């Protein structure tokens, strides 16, 4: 039996250590003052920062990793939303999150994928911990103490609502046990329903007459249809089904995770835009294999993530004849691929800059997915890489850098000759040369 806490301890955990009423707590927004306090919005002329624990419908629950934190656990929704924007702004400047879209940052923020990058911006008022949104918490309905009857009914409804929100999971084969665990964990942490706290909409009147047996068969047929769409993907079934992940065993052990290798998302059952775009483009060309733009190795294309043992990217320049021309948002782009060996720079496959002899390193890129910009242009290593394609004068100051990796793939005007072009995207043969493997030392005969 768990030990009972003293009243003072319970108040401290709720952030109400100085309050007389144990049924209220204060908004624990960490940056600045509570918005309701600034606007003096307070019912019954009370402290505007107070939150009634009997009615948490308009609040968001957060957790602090400091077990002795006394700053509180709840924020007004508008306070949380404003604070969340500051955390998203910080995430925008962090590592791999710089290449994410706004939607991806918002979806990943409170999952391990994004929070590990942004936690430094989530400092708690207690000064010894970091806050995180509680994705598993749902605002309960307001309670009533009239003989406890309304509270019991609401509790029953809450349990039923939670049961309705349980979604079936699709298991992968036994050989994918590790990947299944990772994906199911990410699914629980990052599902849309958990992050928004919303429940499923009530059934319409026409659906109430359907028997449970028919309803179950109807749901099963939808799942099977979704599975058929995912396997085919509108690609006539020409792509390979990946049986295991043994091809990635050549990577260092610290990269064998779902952040370095793109795996199936927990949502949409694989029907996301990137996957459909790649598979439909290749299917229209009748290609079940692609060719690495650097070493010309043939790579199989798979029907699920990771789609290839390397990574795709879009470039405004056709680096090789194997690159496929596509139209993206009205612009002509070329779908290009680099294999895993060339990204890692294994012996004999590394490339170096012709001008500064710096080795190109693609080991930080996520495998099995696609980047929407030219990955070779995204990180210019020397002044030659930022010169105009027409007058050969620097388009940028050598110390200047653009805000986003994708900016280097856009058309920009030269400040000297006014030529509008993708000046930072150079031909690979112009920029790079093969890194010659050192010869082994030979003993004197």
């Amino acid at each position: 039996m768990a030990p009972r806490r003293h009243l003072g301890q319970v108040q401290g955990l709720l952030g109400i250590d100085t309050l007389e009423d144990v049924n209220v707590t204060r908004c624990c927004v960490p940056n600045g003052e509570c918005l309701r306090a600034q606007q003096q919005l307070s019912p019954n002329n009370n402290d505007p920062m107070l939150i009634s624990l009997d009615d948490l419908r308009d609040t968001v629950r957060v957790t602090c990793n400091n077990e002795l934190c006394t700053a509180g656990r709840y924020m007004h929704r508008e306070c949380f939303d404003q604070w969340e924007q500051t955390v998203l702004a910080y995430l925008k400047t962090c590592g791999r999150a710089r290449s994410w879209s706004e939607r991806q940052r918002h979806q990943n923020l409170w999952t391990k994928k994004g929070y590990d990058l942004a936690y430094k911006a989530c400092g708690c008022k207690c000064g010894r911990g970091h806050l995180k949104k509680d994705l598993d918490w749902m605002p309960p309905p307001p309670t009533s103490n009239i003989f406890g009857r309304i509270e019991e009914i609401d509790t029953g409804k809450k349990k039923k609502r939670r049961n309705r929100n349980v979604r079936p999971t699709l298991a992968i084969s036994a050989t994918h046990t590790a990947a299944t665990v990772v994906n199911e964990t990410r699914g629980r942490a990052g599902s849309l329903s958990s992050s928004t706290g919303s429940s499923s909409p009530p059934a319409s009147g026409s659906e109430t007459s359907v028997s449970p047996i028919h309803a179950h068969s109807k749901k099963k047929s939808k799942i099977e249809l979704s599975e058929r769409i995912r396997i085919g993907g509108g690609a006539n079934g020409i792509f390979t089904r990946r049986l295991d992940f043994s091809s990635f065993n050549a990577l260092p052990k610290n990269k064998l995770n779902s952040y370095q290798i793109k795996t199936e998302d927990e949502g949409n059952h694989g029907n996301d835009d990137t996957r459909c775009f790649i598979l439909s483009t290749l299917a229209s060309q009748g290609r079940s294999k692609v060719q690495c733009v650097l070493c010309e190795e043939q790579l199989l294309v798979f029907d699920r993530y990771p789609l290839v043992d390397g990574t795709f990217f879009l470039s405004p320049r056709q680096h090789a004849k194997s690159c496929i021309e596509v139209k993206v948002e009205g612009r002509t782009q070329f779908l290009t691929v680099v294999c895993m060996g060339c990204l890692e720079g294994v012996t004999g496959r590394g490339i170096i800059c012709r001008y500064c002899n710096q080795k190109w390193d693609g080991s930080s890129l996520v495998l099995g997915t696609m980047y929407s910009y030219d990955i070779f242009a995204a990180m210019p290593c020397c002044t030659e890489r930022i010169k105009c394609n027409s007058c050969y004068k620097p388009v940028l100051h050598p110390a200047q850098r653009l805000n986003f990796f994708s900016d280097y793939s856009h058309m920009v005007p030269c400040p000297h000759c006014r030529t509008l072009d993708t000046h930072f995207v150079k031909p690979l043969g112009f920029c790079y040369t093969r890194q010659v493997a050192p010869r082994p030392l030979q003993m004197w005969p």
Side-chain angles (χ1 to χ4, degrees):
M1 182 176 179
R4 295 183 178 180
R5 296 182 183 271
H6 295 293
L7 178 61
Q9 290 177 302
V10 175
Q11 291 175 338
L13 290 174
L14 295 175
I16 53 176
D17 48 332
T18 60
L19 299 179
E20 296 180 0
D21 189 354
V22 296
N23 290 324
V24 296
T25 184
R26 283 197 175 95
C27 179
C28 65
V29 59
N31 58 336
E33 193 177 8
C34 169
L35 291 179
R36 296 195 180 184
Q38 296 176 9
Q39 301 170 5
Q40 293 299 317
L41 298 177
S42 173
N44 303 324
N45 296 321
N46 293 327
D47 184 349
M49 292 184 65
L50 293 184
I51 296 175
S52 172
L53 297 177
D54 291 333
D55 188 359
L56 299 173
R57 289 175 296 176
D58 197 28
T59 61
V60 176
R61 178 181 169 88
V62 294
T63 58
C64 179
N65 56 6
N66 174 21
E67 295 181 355
L68 301 179
C69 175
T70 60
R73 293 292 179 270
Y74 299 96
M75 295 186 205
H76 297 113
R77 181 162 295 280
E78 61 267 32
C79 297
F80 175 83
D81 290 342
Q82 186 184 66
W83 173 66
E84 186 181 48
Q85 289 303 315
T86 64
V87 182
L88 284 169
Y90 177 82
L91 180 62
K92 192 175 182 179
T93 66
C94 298
R96 59 178 177 272
R98 290 195 295 264
S99 62
W100 294 350
S101 65
E102 293 295 333
R103 180 181 176 184
Q104 287 174 319
R105 293 190 194 101
H106 199 276
Q107 289 178 340
N108 296 335
L109 176 59
W110 302 116
T111 67
K112 180 176 175 59
K113 188 174 183 178
Y115 187 73
D116 285 352
L117 299 173
Y119 77 94
K120 291 183 180 179
C122 302
C124 180
K125 271 186 174 180
C126 69
R128 296 184 178 181
H130 297 89
L131 295 178
K132 184 179 182 181
K133 182 180 181 180
D134 188 347
L135 298 177
D136 296 325
W137 181 78
M138 292 181 61
T143 59
S144 174
N145 293 325
I146 304 176
F147 307 112
R149 175 142 182 96
I150 296 179
E151 185 174 357
E152 290 176 1
I153 295 174
D154 287 340
T155 303
K157 290 181 179 179
K158 181 178 178 182
K159 289 180 180 179
K160 291 180 181 179
R161 185 183 299 113
R162 285 182 177 175
N163 290 337
R164 285 201 305 267
N165 283 338
V166 176
R167 291 172 170 80
T169 57
L170 297 176
I172 311 176
S173 62
T175 57
H176 297 170
T177 304
T180 303
V181 173
V182 171
N183 287 330
E184 288 180 351
T185 304
R186 292 172 63 196
R188 288 193 294 270
S191 63
L192 185 59
S193 61
S194 299
S195 60
T196 59
S198 61
S199 59
S200 302
S204 62
S206 61
E207 293 178 349
T208 55
S209 62
V210 180
S211 67
I213 297 177
H214 289 149
H216 177 73
S217 62
K218 184 178 180 181
K219 182 183 295 185
K220 184 177 179 181
S221 65
K222 286 183 178 180
I223 295 175
E224 289 175 350
L225 178 61
S226 175
E227 179 71 3
R228 287 198 300 269
I229 293 174
R230 185 168 70 88
I231 294 174
N236 301 324
I238 68 172
F239 300 112
T240 305
R241 171 61 53 86
R242 189 184 290 275
L243 300 178
D244 56 50
F245 297 94
S246 59
S247 60
F248 297 102
N249 289 339
L251 294 173
K253 290 184 178 180
N254 64 320
K255 291 187 178 181
L256 297 178
N257 56 67
S258 59
Y259 304 121
Q260 295 292 137
I261 303 171
K262 172 68 174 177
T263 55
E264 280 293 297
D265 289 335
E266 63 275 5
N268 298 328
H269 303 293
N271 287 325
D272 70 48
D273 295 339
T274 301
R275 174 184 173 276
C276 291
F277 169 77
I278 294 173
L279 296 187
S280 60
T281 298
L282 295 175
S284 66
Q285 301 282 330
R287 297 193 189 186
S288 60
K289 295 182 180 180
V290 289
Q291 192 176 55
C292 174
V293 72
L294 293 180
C295 68
E296 300 183 351
E297 178 184 350
Q298 293 286 335
L299 305 173
L300 283 173
V301 179
F302 298 92
D303 62 344
R304 300 181 184 181
Y305 287 118
L307 298 176
V308 70
D309 293 347
T311 193
F312 289 97
F313 68 93
L314 294 175
S315 173
R317 179 181 293 274
Q318 188 175 21
H319 290 300
K321 293 182 179 179
S322 59
C323 303
I324 302 174
E325 181 177 344
V326 294
K327 285 285 186 180
V328 180
E329 296 179 352
R331 294 192 302 161
T332 299
Q333 302 280 333
F334 293 91
L335 183 63
T336 315
V337 66
V338 181
C339 72
M340 181 171 61
C342 291
L343 290 172
E344 294 293 321
V346 298
T347 304
R349 293 195 182 186
I351 57 173
I352 59 175
C353 177
R354 288 182 177 272
Y355 304 97
C356 66
N357 291 326
Q358 182 173 330
K359 182 180 178 181
W360 181 79
D361 184 12
S363 60
S364 62
L365 299 176
V366 180
L367 299 173
T369 184
M370 184 188 76
Y371 288 83
S372 60
Y373 54 84
D374 191 304
I375 59 177
F376 296 104
M379 293 172 284
C381 54
C382 60
T383 307
E384 293 294 330
R385 302 294 303 278
I386 59 175
K387 286 185 176 181
C388 171
N389 289 336
S390 180
C391 67
Y392 304 106
K393 294 181 180 179
V395 178
L396 300 175
H397 187 275
Q400 184 182 357
R401 287 293 179 265
L402 301 179
N403 293 329
F404 304 103
F405 292 141
S406 58
D407 290 343
Y408 291 95
S409 296
H410 294 162
M411 296 186 70
V412 294
C414 173
H416 306 285
C417 66
R418 302 298 179 185
T419 301
L420 184 65
D421 196 2
T422 52
H423 296 291
F424 308 113
V425 183
K426 310 289 187 184
L428 297 182
F430 173 82
C431 298
Y432 299 107
T433 184
R434 289 283 178 194
Q435 184 180 26
V436 180
R439 295 181 179 178
L441 295 176
Q442 296 180 356
M443 298 298 294
W444 186 263

